[in-house]
Amino acid sequence: NSSAAYLTSFGLVSVLWFVHHQLCHNIQHSNPMIQTLNTLALSFVGGIPFTSGLIQHYANPHSYDAPNFRINEGVCVQFHCLVLFFSGSSKLSCGWLLY
């Protein structure tokens, strides 16, 4: 259902926003590497609603490609996990450079 996909992506983005806010709260100085990693993290966070929507679409057994929906759902979940992993990794890298 699309409400579940929306709530999932909203929750994930909210958690990542909180982490970003906590990480950047006491920044005294910045450098191009931190700015690049922060932008990279933002690009992955922007993909979360897209991948949540893909999972929602392919988890529906009544979609237009019903015979292959389980395979497609698994690929979408893996893609979603990669987006989350790279988003968190780039944020973690920012944290290491800041502190």
Side-chain angles (χ1 to χ4, degrees):
N1 144 350
S2 62
S3 299
Y6 172 79
L7 290 174
T8 300
S9 63
F10 182 81
L12 290 170
V13 170
S14 296
V15 167
L16 291 170
W17 173 255
F18 179 76
V19 168
H20 173 78
H21 192 293
Q22 291 297 106
L23 189 67
C24 297
H25 183 64
N26 295 321
I27 291 180
Q28 299 293 326
H29 65 286
S30 182
N31 63 38
M33 179 59 99
I34 292 172
Q35 293 169 351
T36 301
L37 287 171
N38 195 35
T39 302
L40 184 64
L42 179 61
S43 71
F44 287 115
V45 168
I48 291 172
F50 173 71
T51 56
S52 293
L54 284 177
I55 292 170
Q56 184 267 329
H57 172 75
Y58 286 110
N60 181 2
H62 303 295
S63 68
Y64 65 91
D65 53 356
N68 297 321
F69 82 96
R70 288 282 177 218
I71 295 168
N72 292 333
E73 180 186 18
V75 170
C76 291
V77 168
Q78 291 172 355
F79 184 53
H80 188 71
C81 289
L82 278 174
V83 167
L84 291 174
F85 173 78
F86 286 120
S87 175
S89 297
S90 52
K91 256 312 154 200
L92 184 63
S93 299
C94 282
W96 282 339
L97 289 173
L98 285 170
Y99 298 105

